[in-house]
Amino acid sequence: MSPFKSSTGIDENIAGAVCYLFTFIGAIVMLALEKRSRFVMFHALQSLFAFGFIVVGHILCGLIPLFGPLLAALLSLLGFAIWIVMLIATLQGKWLKLPLVGDLADKQMRKL
């Protein structure tokens, strides 16, 4: 349990988990409400970018004949794995940075 509260009044680790639990909506709400917790803002941005790229990947898979459905299924498994791992990591209060999108979220957070 994180002893720190986000500006929403929720513990940081719970607020961070909300960003992944409800993917886009949770991340957008937490990003809009959070004013001081870098932990919550980072995970909100990382969730938006990660699941945004997965959605774009699914759209692109729809354009690929034959192997598109297989790639979409693998992308779904990857998305589910990311979802579970990030939920657990944020509930434990860890700053787990995903490859590529973690750096993108970090750079974007510095601009906020």
Side-chain angles (χ1 to χ4, degrees):
M1 266 314 173
S2 173
F4 303 107
K5 299 268 188 203
S6 75
S7 59
T8 61
I10 305 170
D11 290 341
E12 279 187 325
N13 56 340
I14 302 297
V18 167
C19 297
Y20 295 103
L21 184 61
F22 301 108
T23 58
F24 292 110
I25 293 172
I28 290 168
V29 167
M30 285 298 151
L31 197 56
L33 296 177
E34 186 57 53
K35 302 298 177 218
R36 76 174 169 239
S37 173
R38 292 176 46 82
F39 180 81
V40 176
M41 288 190 287
F42 170 77
H43 283 293
L45 287 166
Q46 183 169 255
S47 176
L48 281 174
F49 292 140
F51 293 105
F53 285 138
I54 289 171
V55 167
V56 169
H58 271 283
I59 292 168
L60 294 175
C61 285
L63 302 174
I64 301 171
L66 252 32
F67 293 111
L70 175 63
L71 292 174
L74 291 174
L75 196 55
S76 293
L77 287 174
L78 175 66
F80 182 71
I82 289 171
W83 185 69
I84 294 294
V85 167
M86 294 311 298
L87 269 175
I88 292 168
T90 52
L91 285 171
Q92 293 175 346
K94 294 181 181 175
W95 282 75
L96 184 59
K97 188 188 275 192
L98 294 170
L100 304 173
V101 294
D103 291 330
L104 186 60
D106 196 31
K107 286 178 188 172
Q108 190 65 35
M109 187 180 63
R110 292 170 200 243
K111 293 179 183 178
L112 294 178

